[in-house]
Amino acid sequence: MKVVPSMDSGPSRTLREITSQPAVWGEAVSSVARHADVLPRRGERVAVVGCGTSWFMAHAYAQLRESGGHGETDAFAASEFPYDRAYDRVLAISRSGTTTEVLELLHRVRGGAATGAITADPGTPVMEAADAVAVLDFADEESVVQTRFATAVLALLRAHLEAEGALPEGVRRMEGAIRDAERALAEPLDDGVLGAGQFTFLGTGWTYGLALEAGLKMREAAGAWTEAYPAMEYRHGPISITAPGRAVWVFGPLPEGLAGDVLAVGGTLAAGSGAGAHDLDPLADLVRAQRLAVVLAESRGYDPDRPRNLTRSVVLENADAR
């Protein structure tokens, strides 16, 4: 059954920010040259860090950069950074610029490695915590739930790899991704996902980070039951929860035989997963998942602009004492 949210009061702030992404990505792409002091150099050993959504964007970028031959790259949740490892550069992603774990990490590694940060707010402590900062204020958001800032960061980093000739084979140029994002906003969501009660998001390589992020968006905005795994791990346990009324959504290529596995146990394979009529750039496909999160939230009586138990930034008290 197709769920249609009430729009009596107009679109939510979150949905308006989701809709703005093609234009925001274009601005991110055009800003690459302005952020040369922040972006990793070819051959550097780099750690990319963040929390929540920012960590998942870090994961996607790390896979893109290393598989494109630009340099060894690791991604960590800021709280799990391995301080005994040596890196040439530590790049932090923080929309608010106030996240406690990110600021602590930047202070601890400063002097041992070049440090950079990508943020949306130039009036926050991260401006002093990092050696260099890229401010994507055009991508800032009022929403608690991150959408366009996170994808703008990945658009910037992808565009930099593109300019460096280090885009992995099969990954589209950002101009194509922007066109696909426009399609992702215009095309209707399919009934199979709108009526599903559980969602498993899958990805391979850099798109695994997108799968993790899609699952998080659905939990944050709609309180949905979601899980995320590397695509080839699906058969090693996760398939056990697939059943009628439950959906599997794949970012990027669809592994051989997986569609049949999903259908054989009664699951719904999300339209466009891996191929087909949508054939969207995986980052643009994330826009579809963001839209789905808003639709489900509203259909369940939730306000996507005011997600339960969440704040825009996590600032821990007595952080210095730790």
Side-chain angles (χ1 to χ4, degrees), residues 2-304:
K2 188 168 184 178
V3 179
V4 180
S6 171
M7 301 298 283
D8 293 342
S9 59
S12 66
R13 178 172 60 235
T14 304
L15 184 58
R16 291 196 299 270
E17 290 171 349
I18 290 170
T19 303
S20 73
Q21 285 175 108
V24 168
W25 295 0
E27 192 159 353
V29 170
S30 68
S31 73
V32 169
R34 298 200 302 272
H35 303 307
D37 55 342
V38 176
L39 299 170
R41 279 67 162 165
R42 183 182 288 274
E44 286 183 329
R45 189 168 191 249
V46 174
V48 194
V49 301
C51 298
T53 290
S54 295
W55 173 33
F56 299 149
M57 295 301 103
H59 188 286
Y61 170 62
Q63 291 285 335
L64 281 169
R65 181 174 185 262
E66 186 158 323
S67 60
H70 200 256
E72 185 177 350
T73 319
D74 295 324
F76 301 101
S79 59
E80 297 295 322
F81 184 78
Y83 289 97
D84 57 344
R85 292 189 191 177
Y87 290 96
D88 300 312
R89 180 179 301 271
V90 175
L91 177 63
I93 303 171
S94 175
R95 176 180 67 170
S96 69
T98 61
T99 304
T100 300
E101 297 99 310
V102 170
L103 295 175
E104 287 185 344
L105 186 156
L106 288 172
H107 285 301
R108 285 187 63 178
V109 302
R110 199 168 194 177
T115 60
I118 306 176
T119 188
D121 190 344
T124 56
V126 77
M127 300 298 294
E128 300 298 325
D131 297 332
V133 183
V135 178
L136 308 188
D137 50 0
F138 55 85
D140 201 0
E141 299 159 320
E142 296 180 29
S143 298
V144 172
V145 174
Q146 277 201 61
T147 56
R148 73 180 182 190
F149 173 74
T151 59
V153 170
L154 194 52
L156 170 73
L157 295 170
R158 272 180 65 172
H160 178 243
L161 293 177
E162 185 179 316
E164 294 271 300
L167 206 59
E169 184 178 355
V171 178
R172 299 178 189 180
R173 297 171 61 88
M174 275 307 303
E175 62 180 353
I178 291 170
R179 287 195 300 270
D180 283 354
E182 293 169 346
R183 288 175 53 205
L185 290 166
E187 295 175 350
L189 296 169
D190 62 285
D191 290 350
V193 296
L194 287 168
Q198 185 276 336
F199 304 84
T200 299
F201 295 99
L202 305 175
T204 302
W206 75 280
T207 70
Y208 174 47
L210 303 185
L212 290 167
E213 171 59 9
L216 180 63
K217 281 292 93 60
M218 297 279 285
R219 291 191 295 273
E220 288 178 329
W225 174 16
T226 67
E227 303 189 17
Y229 303 94
M232 292 302 289
E233 285 296 304
Y234 176 70
R235 300 176 178 93
H236 297 275
I239 192 172
S240 64
I241 63 168
T242 306
R246 298 177 181 177
V248 176
W249 184 313
V250 184
F251 290 92
L254 185 66
E256 184 177 354
L258 191 141
D261 292 339
V262 172
L263 298 177
V265 293
T268 297
L269 186 66
S273 286
H278 291 285
D279 191 25
L280 296 172
D281 181 281
L283 188 59
D285 203 19
L286 179 60
V287 174
R288 294 176 61 233
Q290 294 170 345
R291 289 177 56 208
L292 176 61
V294 171
V295 170
L296 289 184
E298 292 175 341
S299 73
R300 297 177 178 189
Y302 301 152
D303 182 349

